[in-house]
Structure formats: C-alpha cells, structure tokens
C-alpha cells in the first residue's frame, strides 16, 4: 500500500510537536515548583531556556519578570513584564502592572512608568499606592526638594562583591550583615539569589575621619548557617534584637508551604559573649517578623511584618517592651505610613524621627527611603521622600543617622556598586527649615453677572484684623495667597466699585491647597431715569466689525452685565443709543448706527427681556462728544470718544 509522504511528514511533525509541548510543560511544572519554594535562580534558568525555545505564556512572562523583580534586577524584570503587557494584556494582574511601573523607574523611564501606573490606578481603585499616585502627579518635582544637602560615598574598602547591608551603630563600630566569602570550606547558598547566607560583621569607626577599619566577624555565637541581619541595640549596648531565619538549636522550621520564615530574636551580653538568642513571643512559623528598631528610650520596638492585619506585602508595626521578654500586642502603624506595597527597615533616630523604606509611595524607583516627622505627642505630621542622592532608581534602604553629627549610613543596590547591596556613608549639611507655607486660591467675581473682576485686591488677615498678605488678581479674576500652614485667617476681597466680601478659613497643611471664591456686590444703590448704564456698569466699548451690525462675542460679554441688571430690576426700561464718529457720509452713519442699536436691543430681548422694556435708536454723528465734526482733523483717540453705545434709563 502506497503511503502519501506528505501526510506522513505532517503526522510526524504533529507528534513531534506534541512531544515537545509535553516536555515543555514538564519543564514548566518543574520550574513552577522551584519558584513557589522561592528558589528563584533555579526557576529562572528553566524559564529562560523555555523562552529561548519559543515557548510563550502569560505565566512564563509573569514569573520570569518576578524572578528578576524579587532579586532587584529591575532592568531584566522590565523586559519580561513588557512582553507580558504587550502580548497578553488581558492576563495582566494589577499587581504586575505596579511591578512593571516600578521596574521602569529603575530604567528612569518615568513617563512610561506613569502611564502604567495610571493603568494600575484604573484597575485597582482604592489601593493606597494608586491614591498616592493620583494625589501627587508632580511627585518628581516634590522629591527634588530636600531640607538637607547630602554627600554620599560608597565604602569600597568595606563592601564586598556580595551583599552588604543593614548597618547599625554599636560602641564606635558599624555592625552590618554580609554574605561575603569568608574562606570557609563549606558554603551554604540561598536559592533565592544564589548568594551565601548572611552573617554579622563589624568594622571600627574612626572618630575623627569617619573611616571604617578592618572588617571582622561579629558575635560568632549569633551567626548560624542561615540568615542573620538588621541588628539594633539598647542604649547601654547590653541587649541586641536582630532578624534571623526560623532556626534555633540546630533545627529549622517552615510554614505550611515549606518556607523558612523570618523572626526577631533577642540576646543579652554577658561579659564578652552573647547569650543564646530567644525569639520574641509575637513571632510565628506562618509569617515573617523582621528588621527590628528600638525607640531612643528603649521602650518600644518597631519592626516589619506580614502578620494578619497587614495592609500590603509588609507593614511597619510596633510593640511596647514590658520587660522579662514580655511585650504588648503588636500595633500596625496605620495608613499614614503603610501602603499595599512593601514598608520595611524602620529606624528611629535619637530625635524620634521614623525613617523607613517603601515601594508603595511615589518615588524614584525600587525601595526609596522616607522620613516620617513626628510631633511631640508621637503623631506623624508628614512624610517626606529623602530625594537624591540618598535615593536612586534602584533599591535604597536600611538608613541610619546620627542627627547630632549629621553623619549616617544606608544600603543600596544602585549601579556601579561593589556587589549586590552596598553600604554607603553620607554627611549632610542642614539648611534652615523654611516656614511651612501653603496655598489658598480662588476667583473674584461680580455677584450679579458672575464675570471675573480683574481689578480686585485680595488680602489675608489674622483674627485681630492685621493684614498678613495682599495680592492683586489676574485678568481672569484669579488669585493665590500663601499664608502659614494650619492657621485661622480671614480672606477679604475688595474693589472700589464693589462692596468687599470676606470668608473665614483655616489654611491647610503643607503641600495642600484650598479654593476660596468670593462674589462682590456692585455699589450701584440707585438708578435714575437718564442714567447711562454703560457708565454705571463700567462697560467696555461695544465693538462691531467694519460695516456690520452683528453682535461679536466680546460685545456679548458686556451685554451680559446689562442683562443681569435688567433681570434683577424688572421695572427698568432702557433705550440703546448708538453713535458713530464723523468719518463717512452722514446718512450712512445714521443708518448703520440705527441698525447696530436695534441689533443690540434685539440681542437682549433674545435672552428673555420683554421687548417693551428695551428699544434701540441710532444717532449717527449727530451727538458728537467733542469738536471732531466733518473736516476737522482729529486723533484716533478723539474719534473713539464719539463711537459709543449708551444704555439710557427711560423709566425705573
């Protein structure tokens, strides 16, 4: 039996494709298991191999992007998130839109990042990250402001080719975590980022120069084969709180998914050694507690956690230290600080200010460092991004500062560093803190016509009547005042032809603005027969196009004022009188002016005024205001005095 070769070839190709697809699905399943166990590097290798073979799916692009994102490789993550958004837009979750926007910031592509953030805002309204983005559209300009000048330097003699981060002051030394190669025979590698696990190290600080000396291991008894990081010490230096994987007495514990969580431990210094660490009672095998920070009085312990009640991926929390390893129930720092993103690495300075890192607020990219200025009662007054050069398009975190000497350290994975994370030192020069000024804006209008009054003056007064600030409105009647923040003041608008108007307000806090519009009543208290409303209302000239009598838009704006007066005074009867200058034939001028007067009256009638209350008559050049008659040489300004429209009150 003869076999059709073409059909056989197609059949073989189909079965070959099915075999390849089956093999790819097996590889994908294998990679997914590694990904779910946070072995991102191992998973990433498989995903890349599949992508190189032409395999495409939203799950593949998501997890490739995530595997780079969670290791702060934002340039690579942006590449894969971009493929996800362009090829599978219907499968993109709001969270992946947010991560894509963050990754784009690391590339300093802020316009594209803002575009993706707007899509995130639409997709996930109510999310604090979306709301903060909407509230701060000019966040890059806001971040450029800083109350201090910072000089930063990479501690190249201290940092290694691995990760070095989480510095803390201790007895004229800098204590930090590092995954550097210490020359041990057996190395344990973390599959999250393919680096050795973290241990504590120390470097002496030269009091005069601030330089760091030789790096050595710190507190060997506290270091284990797993991670230790983020130390904080009591004022007397006798107690340390620190972060460690869920590992004690040689036993590691995992959550239900097999993940080794983070916990905070406490140890006491006894002589020259440290006691066996004791985990804090609010730790759990099912969530992480990390990055402890002590208040200056050692009575409160701050930390980051994803425990129940957390808003985002991690929030900042606080407990009261009650003694004997007893603590109050953890309290979430709330929405003023926490977002649906990552808040971590808290630090409380000796002046009581809270510094922390977040990727949930508008920033330069990755984690940015913020300071929450606190009032005397402990409430947070406002939160400020520390700006450049402390922050960068990459991750910046673990900030500590000696605010009395204006020296400190922070961690970053910015480009051109020594390793994964580096420790930078900074010095800062304090600028005088400017007075907190805010913004009050508004428009001043005529109460009858609701047209702007471009000649008004607006003032801010204190409650004793003292003028604090005065400004003139612009041609559109708009003004702006900048009084002190959070102050009760009186806003007053004045214009000689109007009665003044006032409103009592409380000025907002910094970076906020309120609108106060005021309407002024005209000072026309009596209208008599024979009065010209054009003078009483200070009308601008009613212009017509050459040789025409239709009402122009600029003339219509002036006629609205006449209309408003006639509407509010229903017994008012008016005659429109139109006049020309002497140039042109007398008969022609008389006819043209009559048409213009009647067109003006008809316009007001068309807006609802009874025809019996308004009429129009043209007088041509028969009632000149000066000597500029036929044959007399006059200036354009003199002729202009004769070209006029009058609105004479006939009866009232």
């Amino acid at each position: 039996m003869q076999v059709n070769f073409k059909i056989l070839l197609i059949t073989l190709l189909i079965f070959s494709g099915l075999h390849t697809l089956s093999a790819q699905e097996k590889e994908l399943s294998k990679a997914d298991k590694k990904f779910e166990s946070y072995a991102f590097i191992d998973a990433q290798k498989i995903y890349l191999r599949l992508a190189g073979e032409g395999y495409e799916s939203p799950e593949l692009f998501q997890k490739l992007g995530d595997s780079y994102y969670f290791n702060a490789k934002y340039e690579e993550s942006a590449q894969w998130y971009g493929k996800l958004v362009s090829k599978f837009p219907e499968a993109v979750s709001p969270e992946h839109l947010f991560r894509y926007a963050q990754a784009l910031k690391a590339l300093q592509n802020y316009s594209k990042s803002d575009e993706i953030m707007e899509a995130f805002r639409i997709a996930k309204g109510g999310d604090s990250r979306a709301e903060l983005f909407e509230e701060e559209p000019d966040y890059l300009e806001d971040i450029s402001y800083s109350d201090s000048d910072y000089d930063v330097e990479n501690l190249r003699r201290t940092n290694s080719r691995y990760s070095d981060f989480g510095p803390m002051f201790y007895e004229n030394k800098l204590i930090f975590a590092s995954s550097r190669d210490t020359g041990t025979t057996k190395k344990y590698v973390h599959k999250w980022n393919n680096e050795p696990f973290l241990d504590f190290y120390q470097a002496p600080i030269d009091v005069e120069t601030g330089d760091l000396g030789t790096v050595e291991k710190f507190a060997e008894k506290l270091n284990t084969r797993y991670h230790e990081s983020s130390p904080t010490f009591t004022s007397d230096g006798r107690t340390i709180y620190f972060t460690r994987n869920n590992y004690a007495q040689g036993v590691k514990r995992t959550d239900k998914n097999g993940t080794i969580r983070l916990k905070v431990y406490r140890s006491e210094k006894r002589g020259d050694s440290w006691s066996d660490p004791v985990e804090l009672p609010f730790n759990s095998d099912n969530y992480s507690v990390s990055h402890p920070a002590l208040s200056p009085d050692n009575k409160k312990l701050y930390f980051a956690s994803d425990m129940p009640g957390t808003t985002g991926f991690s929030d900042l929390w606080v407990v009261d230290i009650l003694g004997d390893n007893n603590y109050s129930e953890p309290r979430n720092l709330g929405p003023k600080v926490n977002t649906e993103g990552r808040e971590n690495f808290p630090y409380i300075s000796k002046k009581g200010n809270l510094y922390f890192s977040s990727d949930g607020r508008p920033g330069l990219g990755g984690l940015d460092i913020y300071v929450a200025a606190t009032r005397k009662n402990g409430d947070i007054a406002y939160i400020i991004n520390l700006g450049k050069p402390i922050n960068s398009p990459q991750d910046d975190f673990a900030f500590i500062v000696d605010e009395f000497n204006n020296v400190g350290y922070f961690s970053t994975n910015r480009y051109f560093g020594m390793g994964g994370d580096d420790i930078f030192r900074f010095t800062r020069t304090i600028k005088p803190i400017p007075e907190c000024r805010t913004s009050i804006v508004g428009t001043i209008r005529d109460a009858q016509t609701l047209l702007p009054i471009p000649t008004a003056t607006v003032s801010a007064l204190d409650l004793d009547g003292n003028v604090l600030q005065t400004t003139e409105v612009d041609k559109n009647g708009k003004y702006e005042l900048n009084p002190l923040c959070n102050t009760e003041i009186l806003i007053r608008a004045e214009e000689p032809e109007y009665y003044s108007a006032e409103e009592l307000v409380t000025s907002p806090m910094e970076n906020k603005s309120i609108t106060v519009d005021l309407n002024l009543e005209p000072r026309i208290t009596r209208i008599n027969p024979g009065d010209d409303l054009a003078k009483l209302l200070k009308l601008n000239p009613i212009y017509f196009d050459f040789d025409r009598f239709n009402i122009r838009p600029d003339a219509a704006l002036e006629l609205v004022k006449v209309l408003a007066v006639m509407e509010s005074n229903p017994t008012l009867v008016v005659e429109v009188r139109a006049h020309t200058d002497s140039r042109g034939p007398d008969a022609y001028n008389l006819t043209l002016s009559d048409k213009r007067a009647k067109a003006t009256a008809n316009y007001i009638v068309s807006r609802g005024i009874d025809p019996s209350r308004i009429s129009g008559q043209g007088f041509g050049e028969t009632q000149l205001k000066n000597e500029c008659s036929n044959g007399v040489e006059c200036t354009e300004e003199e002729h202009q005095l004769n070209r006029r429209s009058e609105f004479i009150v006939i009866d009232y």
Side-chain angles (χ1 to χ4, degrees), residues 587-649:
Y588 174 82
N589 285 339
L590 185 64
T591 300
L592 180 62
S593 65
D594 193 67
K595 289 180 178 179
R596 287 176 173 176
K598 286 179 169 54
T600 301
N602 290 338
Y603 179 87
I604 293 177
V605 169
S606 72
R607 296 300 185 273
I609 297 300
D610 191 301
S612 65
R613 295 180 55 206
I614 189 163
S615 59
Q617 183 178 353
F619 291 84
E621 56 184 87
T622 63
Q623 296 183 5
L624 300 176
K625 301 283 287 184
N626 51 31
E627 303 299 321
C628 297
S629 59
N630 292 336
V632 177
E633 242 186 81
C634 291
T635 65
E636 182 60 33
E637 288 76 15
E638 290 172 325
H639 282 305
Q640 176 65 53
L641 291 175
N642 293 317
R643 296 196 305 272
R644 66 195 187 278
S645 292
E646 298 170 332
F647 297 81
I648 304 301
V649 176

Side-chain angles (χ1 to χ4, degrees), residues 456-461 467-473 479-482 492 494:
T457 300
V458 186
S459 303
L461 298 85
V467 177
L468 305 174
Q469 188 181 1
T470 299
T471 186
E472 295 181 351
V473 302
Y479 74 92
E480 179 177 0
L481 294 171
N482 302 106
R492 174 183 293 166
E494 298 174 291

Side-chain angles (χ1 to χ4, degrees), residues 354-371:
L354 167 64
Y355 294 86
F356 65 98
S357 292
S358 173
D359 67 358
R361 298 172 173 275
L364 297 178
L367 292 168
D368 273 14
I369 299 169
Y370 297 80
V371 58

